[in-house]
Amino acid sequence: MDPLEMGQKFSLRQELDRDANLQFLPAPDVRKVEKRPILQRKLCIVFGLVAAAVSLSLLTGILVWRFHLHQDMAKPRVYVGSMSIANQRFLSDYEDPDSKPFVKMASLVSQQLRVMYDTNTVLTKYFQRSSVEAFSDGGSDSLTAYYRSEFSIPEPQQDSVDVAVQSLQMAAGSQKSRQGRVLLKPQHSLNVDAVVTKAIDPRMTSSSLLVKKSFNVHVREGGVIQSPGFPDSSYPSNVYLQWRLRADAAHRVRLDFQKLILEDDCQHDFVKIYDSLAPIEQTAIAEHCGIPQHLLSFVSSGNVMLLTLVTNKEKNFPGFIANFSQVPLEPPADCGGTLSGDVGQFSSPYFPSSYPPRTSCVWNIQVSKGKSVKVKFSKFYVGNDSIDCSRDYVEVNGRRLCGSKEGSTTVASRSNLMSVKFNSDWSYVHQGFFAAFEAFIPSDSCPGSFRCSNGWCVDSRLHCDGVDDCGDASDEEECSACAPNVFRCKNARCVSRTTLCDGKDDCSDGSDEFKCEKSGDVTTCSDSSFRCKNGHCLDKVNPECDGEVDCEDASDEEACQCGLQPYRSSRIVGGEASQEGEWPWQVSLQLVGQGHACGASLLSGRWLLTAAHCVQDKGSARHSQADQWEAVLGQHILSQPNEWTVRRKVSRIVAHRHFDQFTFDNDVALMQLDSDVPLNQHIWPICLPSPTHRFPAGQEAWITGWGASRERGVAGSVMQKAKVGIISSSVCNIAMNNEVTDGMMCAGVLKGGVDACQGDSGGPLSVISPNGRVFLAGVVSWGDGCARRNKPGIYTRVSRYRKWIEEHSGI
Ligand code: ARG
C-alpha cells in the first residue's frame, strides 16, 4: 500500500501539490510590483489613498447594513448522512471514488437526495448541493451511501431546517422509496430504506481549515496509521484529515492506539472516531485530545470505521500512531452464552478494548442447586451515568447499571440463576466490564458474621446481645444456649440430636445435615484422599475447584477465585514469549534500587509465594528484610510498566523456618503486600493444590518468568514461558544424586534445552487442570546449571506446604 495513503510519511507541501481533493480558502493574489517614475508613483499613492478611503467607507456601510438590517443573511450549513439502498449491492469498485461505477452510483444518490429535499418545502428552499463521499456494504444485499449536503440557510431558519432534516429521516424509513419511484425514471430508482442526516460537528467546517484530505485504507492485512510527521515533528495546523477504514465483508474494523499526544483542549485539536464512513454525529463513538490515561482501542459494529483528525492554528503536538486490523463479525466468544460451574469470569465484548456500538449480549449463569450467585464487577465502565441507564448498560436480573464505577461492584441473586445483559447503543463507547461470578451458600453469605433473616449481615458479637441489630429481630431469636445433649446449629439454633442426618433441614441452614455420610460419596480417609472441611474424605483425584461440588459442605469448591487465564492462547531457557496477561499470577520481585531479582506467584490480593533462598541475607545484602523488596504485578515487559502494572511494597516476609541453605530443602517463603492488589484479568491469583493433589509424572507443566535465557545469561525483558514435564522423584533422584527430598519435585525436558534459570527462582511451576484451572505445583528452586541434558529443574513441592501456607497466611 502506498505509504502516503496510510499517512505514514506526510510532507504537507508535497501533499498539497499531489492531491486533487484539496479545498483551500481563497488566498489573496500575489501582485507583481514594478518600478515606476517617482512623480507617477506619488500621484498613484494619492489616488490609491482616496480610493481606499472611499471603498473602506462603502464596505463599512455594506457591512453595517448586512449585519444590522439584514440579520437573516444566509449561512452555509453542512449535513452529513448515510442512506441505505435496498435494491443495490456493494461492488468493490465503489472503494475507488474515481471509478466509473462509483461516479454513476454517486450521481444517482445525489439525484435521489435532491428529490427528497424537493418534497420538503423548507429544505427545497435552501438546498445547495450534495456530494457522495463513500459507499459501503450495507449487509443483506444492500448498499450504504455516505454523503454531505450543503444548505444555505438564513440564521433564524436554521432550527427549522434541522427539524426538516430530522423528519426526512423518519419519512424515508416509513414510506420507503415512494418519492424516488415517483420522481426518478424507473430504471434509476433507488429503494431507499433509511436515511440518517445530521449537521456536521461545527469544528469540522471551521473556515480556518486549510486542508481537507481523505485516506482510504483497507484493513485486511493490518497496518499502522499515524498522524503526519509522527513522532519526529508535530502535526500540521488547520487540517481536517480523515481515514476511511474498511474491513472485508462479515468483519469488523479494529483500531488500537499505541500513542496519542494532542493539545489538551478538544475545541482546538482532536481525533474523533465514527462507526460509519462519514462524520455523522449519531455514529460518533469516541473523541479524544490531550494524552489519554487509559488504553484507546475500538471495534466497529460493521465493516467500516472513520478516524478523523482536526487541528487548529496554535499549539501542535506529536499526534498519534494506531494499529488497524480486522476481526470476524461473528459475535465474539465473550458476548453472552450459558455459564455453568460454580465460578467463572466473563466480560463485555473485546474487553479490555472498548465494546463495539450497537451490541447486545446475554449471559445466563447457572450454579449448583441450593446455592446463590454473586457477580463481582472488578472493572465497570459502561456508558455515562444516568438515572434510567437508557443508552449503554448492564442489566442484572432486571436491574440496570451504568456509568463508571471505581472499586468493585457486587450483585447477588437469591436463586442459583442469574441473567446478565449487556447493551450498547449507536454512539460513544467505553471500555466495558470484567466480572467474576461465584456460587455461595446463602447461609454463608455473611462470612464471619451473623446472617439475619432479612439477609443483612451483622457482627456476630451482636447476636443475642438483647438488641435488635437486624431490624427484624432475628439476631435475638432462639438465644438460649443449647443444652449439652442438644445439637447447636451453625446459625446458633439448638435442635435435638435425634434430628441429625435425618434428611430434613431442622436447623434451616442445613448444618444438621452436613456431616452425614452418604453412600458412595465418602470414603474412609487415607493419606491420599481429599479431606473436605467437615473432615470427610473423597475418593476422587484432585476434586478441588474442578467445577463440581464433591464435598457435602462444598468445601472442595470454596475459595476458587484463582487460576483462570483470560488471555491463554494456545526467562526460561528454550522458551518463547508469553502473551500479555497469559500468566496473571506471575510476579516480579525487585530489590529496591536494583530491579528484578526473583519471581513469585500471587495467592490472593495480599499474599505471594516465593522461594526461601530469594529472601536470605547475603553478606551485607539484607534480603530477608521486607523493606528491601517491591513486588510488581500485571507486568509483561520487565522494563515497560503498562496500564495494568501495579507495584506494592512488601510488609512482611515469612520464610520457612527449616529452609536448608545447603540442601535447599523447604525452599518456600510467603510475602505479604502492604495493601491489596486489584484483581483483574492481568492480575489474578493461582490456585493452591491441596496436600493430596496429585501431579503425576509425565504431566505437562509451564514455567514462566524473566530469568536468564541461558546458563550464565542475563535477565530477559518479555516474560517467557516454556513447557516442561513432571518427572517422578525416583527417576529424578537417579539423575540428581539423591538430592531430591520429599519437599521437592522435578520437572523439565530430560534431553535438555528447556529449563528455568537464574532470575526465575521463586516463580511458578503452573499446571493447567483438565477444566482449565491452573494450580501452583512448584516454586522454582534450584538446578544443576540450566537446561543441561539429564538435569531437570528442581521445584519446591507446593502441596507439601499447603498447611504451612495456611498457618502463616490464613489462605
Ligand atoms: N536458583 C535460581 C534463581 O535464583 C533458579 C534456578 C533454577 N534452575 C534450574 N536449572 N531450574 O533464580
Side-chain angles (χ1 to χ4, degrees), residues 450-458 462 465 467-477:
F450 177 81
R451 184 184 153 88
C452 310
S453 303
N454 59 11
W456 289 16
C457 304
V458 298
L462 303 178
D465 66 349
V467 181
D468 172 12
D469 302 289
C470 285
D472 63 358
S474 55
D475 57 323
E476 297 305 316
E477 280 165 16

PDB file of all heavy atoms in Angstrom, residues 450-458 462 465 467-477:
ATOM      1  N   PHE A 450     -23.057 -12.694  61.612  1.00  0.00           N
ATOM      2  CA  PHE A 450     -24.367 -13.328  61.747  1.00  0.00           C
ATOM      3  C   PHE A 450     -25.277 -12.894  60.596  1.00  0.00           C
ATOM      4  O   PHE A 450     -25.345 -11.721  60.248  1.00  0.00           O
ATOM      5  CB  PHE A 450     -24.976 -12.908  63.095  1.00  0.00           C
ATOM      6  CG  PHE A 450     -26.362 -13.460  63.295  1.00  0.00           C
ATOM      7  CD1 PHE A 450     -26.548 -14.770  63.729  1.00  0.00           C
ATOM      8  CD2 PHE A 450     -27.480 -12.678  63.034  1.00  0.00           C
ATOM      9  CE1 PHE A 450     -27.832 -15.289  63.894  1.00  0.00           C
ATOM     10  CE2 PHE A 450     -28.767 -13.185  63.192  1.00  0.00           C
ATOM     11  CZ  PHE A 450     -28.936 -14.502  63.632  1.00  0.00           C
ATOM     12  N   ARG A 451     -25.955 -13.871  60.016  1.00  0.00           N
ATOM     13  CA  ARG A 451     -26.873 -13.540  58.926  1.00  0.00           C
ATOM     14  C   ARG A 451     -28.288 -13.426  59.473  1.00  0.00           C
ATOM     15  O   ARG A 451     -28.840 -14.373  60.021  1.00  0.00           O
ATOM     16  CB  ARG A 451     -26.828 -14.626  57.864  1.00  0.00           C
ATOM     17  CG  ARG A 451     -27.675 -14.296  56.655  1.00  0.00           C
ATOM     18  CD  ARG A 451     -27.670 -15.449  55.670  1.00  0.00           C
ATOM     19  NE  ARG A 451     -28.875 -15.444  54.892  1.00  0.00           N
ATOM     20  CZ  ARG A 451     -29.038 -14.770  53.756  1.00  0.00           C
ATOM     21  NH1 ARG A 451     -28.024 -14.092  53.270  1.00  0.00           N
ATOM     22  NH2 ARG A 451     -30.165 -14.796  53.112  1.00  0.00           N
ATOM     23  N   CYS A 452     -28.863 -12.248  59.277  1.00  0.00           N
ATOM     24  CA  CYS A 452     -30.232 -12.027  59.743  1.00  0.00           C
ATOM     25  C   CYS A 452     -31.199 -12.685  58.774  1.00  0.00           C
ATOM     26  O   CYS A 452     -30.849 -12.945  57.614  1.00  0.00           O
ATOM     27  CB  CYS A 452     -30.545 -10.532  59.767  1.00  0.00           C
ATOM     28  SG  CYS A 452     -29.317  -9.556  60.618  1.00  0.00           S
ATOM     29  N   SER A 453     -32.421 -12.886  59.196  1.00  0.00           N
ATOM     30  CA  SER A 453     -33.415 -13.490  58.300  1.00  0.00           C
ATOM     31  C   SER A 453     -33.670 -12.600  57.082  1.00  0.00           C
ATOM     32  O   SER A 453     -34.003 -13.083  56.015  1.00  0.00           O
ATOM     33  CB  SER A 453     -34.731 -13.708  59.032  1.00  0.00           C
ATOM     34  OG  SER A 453     -34.504 -14.515  60.154  1.00  0.00           O
ATOM     35  N   ASN A 454     -33.518 -11.299  57.259  1.00  0.00           N
ATOM     36  CA  ASN A 454     -33.762 -10.398  56.126  1.00  0.00           C
ATOM     37  C   ASN A 454     -32.542 -10.282  55.214  1.00  0.00           C
ATOM     38  O   ASN A 454     -32.509  -9.475  54.301  1.00  0.00           O
ATOM     39  CB  ASN A 454     -34.179  -9.010  56.623  1.00  0.00           C
ATOM     40  CG  ASN A 454     -33.118  -8.378  57.516  1.00  0.00           C
ATOM     41  OD1 ASN A 454     -31.979  -8.880  57.597  1.00  0.00           O
ATOM     42  ND2 ASN A 454     -33.458  -7.297  58.176  1.00  0.00           N
ATOM     43  N   GLY A 455     -31.518 -11.071  55.471  1.00  0.00           N
ATOM     44  CA  GLY A 455     -30.354 -11.087  54.584  1.00  0.00           C
ATOM     45  C   GLY A 455     -29.233 -10.168  55.028  1.00  0.00           C
ATOM     46  O   GLY A 455     -28.145 -10.211  54.482  1.00  0.00           O
ATOM     47  N   TRP A 456     -29.477  -9.330  56.013  1.00  0.00           N
ATOM     48  CA  TRP A 456     -28.412  -8.446  56.464  1.00  0.00           C
ATOM     49  C   TRP A 456     -27.343  -9.257  57.182  1.00  0.00           C
ATOM     50  O   TRP A 456     -27.616 -10.325  57.726  1.00  0.00           O
ATOM     51  CB  TRP A 456     -28.938  -7.413  57.471  1.00  0.00           C
ATOM     52  CG  TRP A 456     -29.819  -6.364  56.883  1.00  0.00           C
ATOM     53  CD1 TRP A 456     -30.431  -6.401  55.673  1.00  0.00           C
ATOM     54  CD2 TRP A 456     -30.206  -5.144  57.509  1.00  0.00           C
ATOM     55  NE1 TRP A 456     -31.180  -5.267  55.491  1.00  0.00           N
ATOM     56  CE2 TRP A 456     -31.059  -4.478  56.613  1.00  0.00           C
ATOM     57  CE3 TRP A 456     -29.922  -4.550  58.729  1.00  0.00           C
ATOM     58  CZ2 TRP A 456     -31.620  -3.250  56.891  1.00  0.00           C
ATOM     59  CZ3 TRP A 456     -30.478  -3.316  59.020  1.00  0.00           C
ATOM     60  CH2 TRP A 456     -31.320  -2.672  58.111  1.00  0.00           C
ATOM     61  N   CYS A 457     -26.137  -8.700  57.224  1.00  0.00           N
ATOM     62  CA  CYS A 457     -25.076  -9.339  57.973  1.00  0.00           C
ATOM     63  C   CYS A 457     -24.727  -8.414  59.138  1.00  0.00           C
ATOM     64  O   CYS A 457     -24.493  -7.229  58.929  1.00  0.00           O
ATOM     65  CB  CYS A 457     -23.834  -9.526  57.113  1.00  0.00           C
ATOM     66  SG  CYS A 457     -24.176 -10.435  55.602  1.00  0.00           S
ATOM     67  N   VAL A 458     -24.732  -8.933  60.332  1.00  0.00           N
ATOM     68  CA  VAL A 458     -24.328  -8.092  61.475  1.00  0.00           C
ATOM     69  C   VAL A 458     -23.190  -8.796  62.212  1.00  0.00           C
ATOM     70  O   VAL A 458     -23.034 -10.014  62.123  1.00  0.00           O
ATOM     71  CB  VAL A 458     -25.506  -7.794  62.445  1.00  0.00           C
ATOM     72  CG1 VAL A 458     -26.604  -7.011  61.748  1.00  0.00           C
ATOM     73  CG2 VAL A 458     -26.053  -9.083  63.034  1.00  0.00           C
ATOM     74  N   LEU A 462     -23.029  -9.231  68.058  1.00  0.00           N
ATOM     75  CA  LEU A 462     -24.327  -8.595  68.323  1.00  0.00           C
ATOM     76  C   LEU A 462     -25.440  -9.636  68.439  1.00  0.00           C
ATOM     77  O   LEU A 462     -26.565  -9.321  68.825  1.00  0.00           O
ATOM     78  CB  LEU A 462     -24.660  -7.592  67.212  1.00  0.00           C
ATOM     79  CG  LEU A 462     -23.610  -6.499  67.002  1.00  0.00           C
ATOM     80  CD1 LEU A 462     -24.012  -5.600  65.844  1.00  0.00           C
ATOM     81  CD2 LEU A 462     -23.443  -5.676  68.281  1.00  0.00           C
ATOM     82  N   ASP A 465     -27.457 -10.240  71.922  1.00  0.00           N
ATOM     83  CA  ASP A 465     -26.982  -9.252  72.898  1.00  0.00           C
ATOM     84  C   ASP A 465     -28.152  -8.444  73.463  1.00  0.00           C
ATOM     85  O   ASP A 465     -27.966  -7.440  74.141  1.00  0.00           O
ATOM     86  CB  ASP A 465     -25.944  -8.309  72.279  1.00  0.00           C
ATOM     87  CG  ASP A 465     -26.541  -7.432  71.189  1.00  0.00           C
ATOM     88  OD1 ASP A 465     -27.699  -7.692  70.758  1.00  0.00           O
ATOM     89  OD2 ASP A 465     -25.866  -6.497  70.749  1.00  0.00           O
ATOM     90  N   VAL A 467     -30.298  -6.678  71.804  1.00  0.00           N
ATOM     91  CA  VAL A 467     -30.664  -5.520  70.982  1.00  0.00           C
ATOM     92  C   VAL A 467     -31.000  -6.029  69.578  1.00  0.00           C
ATOM     93  O   VAL A 467     -30.316  -6.911  69.048  1.00  0.00           O
ATOM     94  CB  VAL A 467     -29.488  -4.516  70.890  1.00  0.00           C
ATOM     95  CG1 VAL A 467     -29.882  -3.311  70.046  1.00  0.00           C
ATOM     96  CG2 VAL A 467     -29.034  -4.098  72.266  1.00  0.00           C
ATOM     97  N   ASP A 468     -32.065  -5.461  69.013  1.00  0.00           N
ATOM     98  CA  ASP A 468     -32.435  -5.853  67.644  1.00  0.00           C
ATOM     99  C   ASP A 468     -31.499  -5.162  66.651  1.00  0.00           C
ATOM    100  O   ASP A 468     -31.706  -4.016  66.268  1.00  0.00           O
ATOM    101  CB  ASP A 468     -33.902  -5.459  67.386  1.00  0.00           C
ATOM    102  CG  ASP A 468     -34.280  -5.653  65.925  1.00  0.00           C
ATOM    103  OD1 ASP A 468     -33.496  -6.283  65.194  1.00  0.00           O
ATOM    104  OD2 ASP A 468     -35.356  -5.160  65.526  1.00  0.00           O
ATOM    105  N   ASP A 469     -30.452  -5.843  66.235  1.00  0.00           N
ATOM    106  CA  ASP A 469     -29.495  -5.231  65.313  1.00  0.00           C
ATOM    107  C   ASP A 469     -29.863  -5.494  63.862  1.00  0.00           C
ATOM    108  O   ASP A 469     -29.423  -4.804  62.958  1.00  0.00           O
ATOM    109  CB  ASP A 469     -28.088  -5.788  65.579  1.00  0.00           C
ATOM    110  CG  ASP A 469     -27.656  -5.533  67.010  1.00  0.00           C
ATOM    111  OD1 ASP A 469     -27.387  -4.364  67.340  1.00  0.00           O
ATOM    112  OD2 ASP A 469     -27.625  -6.492  67.804  1.00  0.00           O
ATOM    113  N   CYS A 470     -30.650  -6.529  63.647  1.00  0.00           N
ATOM    114  CA  CYS A 470     -31.013  -6.892  62.270  1.00  0.00           C
ATOM    115  C   CYS A 470     -32.135  -6.015  61.730  1.00  0.00           C
ATOM    116  O   CYS A 470     -32.317  -5.905  60.532  1.00  0.00           O
ATOM    117  CB  CYS A 470     -31.490  -8.348  62.209  1.00  0.00           C
ATOM    118  SG  CYS A 470     -30.151  -9.531  62.346  1.00  0.00           S
ATOM    119  N   GLY A 471     -32.918  -5.464  62.611  1.00  0.00           N
ATOM    120  CA  GLY A 471     -34.093  -4.729  62.156  1.00  0.00           C
ATOM    121  C   GLY A 471     -35.299  -5.636  62.092  1.00  0.00           C
ATOM    122  O   GLY A 471     -36.434  -5.176  62.072  1.00  0.00           O
ATOM    123  N   ASP A 472     -35.095  -6.953  62.063  1.00  0.00           N
ATOM    124  CA  ASP A 472     -36.227  -7.884  62.088  1.00  0.00           C
ATOM    125  C   ASP A 472     -36.137  -8.782  63.325  1.00  0.00           C
ATOM    126  O   ASP A 472     -36.814  -9.802  63.411  1.00  0.00           O
ATOM    127  CB  ASP A 472     -36.267  -8.726  60.811  1.00  0.00           C
ATOM    128  CG  ASP A 472     -35.042  -9.611  60.676  1.00  0.00           C
ATOM    129  OD1 ASP A 472     -34.143  -9.553  61.550  1.00  0.00           O
ATOM    130  OD2 ASP A 472     -34.974 -10.358  59.693  1.00  0.00           O
ATOM    131  N   ALA A 473     -35.262  -8.393  64.214  1.00  0.00           N
ATOM    132  CA  ALA A 473     -35.083  -9.078  65.499  1.00  0.00           C
ATOM    133  C   ALA A 473     -34.590 -10.521  65.372  1.00  0.00           C
ATOM    134  O   ALA A 473     -34.535 -11.256  66.349  1.00  0.00           O
ATOM    135  CB  ALA A 473     -36.344  -9.019  66.343  1.00  0.00           C
ATOM    136  N   SER A 474     -34.212 -10.910  64.158  1.00  0.00           N
ATOM    137  CA  SER A 474     -33.811 -12.315  64.023  1.00  0.00           C
ATOM    138  C   SER A 474     -32.512 -12.618  64.760  1.00  0.00           C
ATOM    139  O   SER A 474     -32.222 -13.771  65.055  1.00  0.00           O
ATOM    140  CB  SER A 474     -33.709 -12.710  62.546  1.00  0.00           C
ATOM    141  OG  SER A 474     -32.840 -11.851  61.864  1.00  0.00           O
ATOM    142  N   ASP A 475     -31.718 -11.570  65.062  1.00  0.00           N
ATOM    143  CA  ASP A 475     -30.490 -11.827  65.821  1.00  0.00           C
ATOM    144  C   ASP A 475     -30.778 -12.068  67.300  1.00  0.00           C
ATOM    145  O   ASP A 475     -29.894 -12.425  68.062  1.00  0.00           O
ATOM    146  CB  ASP A 475     -29.500 -10.670  65.657  1.00  0.00           C
ATOM    147  CG  ASP A 475     -30.089  -9.329  66.069  1.00  0.00           C
ATOM    148  OD1 ASP A 475     -31.297  -9.104  65.805  1.00  0.00           O
ATOM    149  OD2 ASP A 475     -29.362  -8.519  66.653  1.00  0.00           O
ATOM    150  N   GLU A 476     -32.029 -11.869  67.674  1.00  0.00           N
ATOM    151  CA  GLU A 476     -32.369 -12.083  69.078  1.00  0.00           C
ATOM    152  C   GLU A 476     -33.316 -13.262  69.269  1.00  0.00           C
ATOM    153  O   GLU A 476     -33.829 -13.490  70.353  1.00  0.00           O
ATOM    154  CB  GLU A 476     -32.989 -10.799  69.668  1.00  0.00           C
ATOM    155  CG  GLU A 476     -32.047  -9.615  69.681  1.00  0.00           C
ATOM    156  CD  GLU A 476     -30.726  -9.923  70.403  1.00  0.00           C
ATOM    157  OE1 GLU A 476     -30.769 -10.544  71.473  1.00  0.00           O
ATOM    158  OE2 GLU A 476     -29.655  -9.546  69.874  1.00  0.00           O
ATOM    159  N   GLU A 477     -33.563 -13.983  68.172  1.00  0.00           N
ATOM    160  CA  GLU A 477     -34.430 -15.150  68.291  1.00  0.00           C
ATOM    161  C   GLU A 477     -33.592 -16.332  68.750  1.00  0.00           C
ATOM    162  O   GLU A 477     -32.403 -16.414  68.415  1.00  0.00           O
ATOM    163  CB  GLU A 477     -35.028 -15.502  66.918  1.00  0.00           C
ATOM    164  CG  GLU A 477     -36.213 -14.645  66.547  1.00  0.00           C
ATOM    165  CD  GLU A 477     -36.547 -14.772  65.059  1.00  0.00           C
ATOM    166  OE1 GLU A 477     -36.068 -15.719  64.422  1.00  0.00           O
ATOM    167  OE2 GLU A 477     -37.274 -13.884  64.570  1.00  0.00           O
TER     168      GLU A 477
END
